[in-house]
Amino acid sequence: EFRHRSWIRESVFEGLEKRKAGIVFCDINGLKTANDQYGHEAGGALINESVVLLTEKFNREDDEIYRIGGDEFVTVLRGEDYEARAALLEELKLKVAQAENISSVFDGKASMAYGLAVFDSELDDGVSTVFRRADGSMYNKKRLMRFSGSRI
């Protein structure tokens, strides 16, 4: 289960600067293609199947996943998931790479880009800058994926 953008409030991030935490920004590639070529039912299935992958990795006791756009999701990593963030991202990468496609509904080249940023008091003046850095990291990954033909 994930929460929609309307659930994101500063209170979710309150105190983030005072503890170890990170933000993972994920973007599902291929949603527009799924919707345009196979219909919105296929696009919806792609979103749902992608959420399953994300919740398998990031929906533990201290984490919540938020849908912030049509194909964009954010999770705040705290506690054990924060400490294991590199391993969790590697597991996500392997899980998506092993899947023939993220979606079983269509045979397009769906994929997922992600970016991680952790609060750094020398770089960040608040949660919004961590969020922007995670978003920027995700877009850098997306550009590399396009250049290399990688799916994650």
Side-chain angles (χ1 to χ4, degrees):
E1 184 177 346
F2 64 90
R3 297 182 186 225
H4 193 268
R5 174 180 226 144
S6 62
W7 279 86
I8 296 180
R9 302 278 184 262
E10 278 300 314
S11 62
V12 170
F13 301 110
E14 189 174 314
L16 186 67
E17 298 91 345
K18 297 177 182 116
R19 61 180 181 244
K20 293 180 178 180
I23 295 175
V24 178
F25 200 110
C26 296
D27 181 87
I28 304 167
N29 300 320
L31 181 61
K32 181 171 176 16
T33 300
N35 284 333
D36 292 350
Q37 292 183 4
Y38 302 95
H40 289 279
E41 184 177 336
L46 175 60
I47 290 169
N48 290 336
E49 292 173 22
S50 298
V51 167
V52 168
L53 289 174
L54 293 173
T55 56
E56 285 177 357
K57 296 299 161 208
F58 302 118
N59 200 21
R60 303 195 182 164
E61 186 175 319
D62 294 329
D63 308 327
E64 291 182 328
I65 296 171
Y66 300 91
R67 184 177 182 191
I68 61 166
D71 59 357
E72 296 175 329
F73 295 84
V74 167
T75 188
V76 179
L77 300 180
R78 300 178 182 102
E80 290 179 21
D81 278 1
Y82 171 80
E83 298 299 332
R85 63 194 177 275
L88 289 172
L89 287 173
E90 187 60 28
E91 289 172 20
L92 177 65
K93 179 180 177 179
L94 290 172
K95 185 89 169 172
V96 173
Q98 289 170 352
E100 195 168 302
N101 289 295
I102 291 176
S103 177
S104 60
V105 178
F106 75 102
D107 57 4
K109 293 187 178 178
S111 63
M112 189 181 300
Y114 62 84
L116 167 70
V118 298
F119 182 79
D120 181 336
S121 60
E122 294 182 18
L123 295 174
D124 303 308
D125 59 5
V127 172
S128 61
T129 54
V130 182
F131 190 90
R132 280 194 300 271
R133 287 193 306 108
D135 185 37
S137 175
M138 184 274 300
Y139 276 105
N140 286 338
K141 177 96 171 151
K142 200 175 191 80
R143 280 191 287 277
L144 288 172
M145 291 169 67
R146 284 188 191 130
F147 181 72
S148 69
S150 171
R151 292 185 46 230
I152 188 154

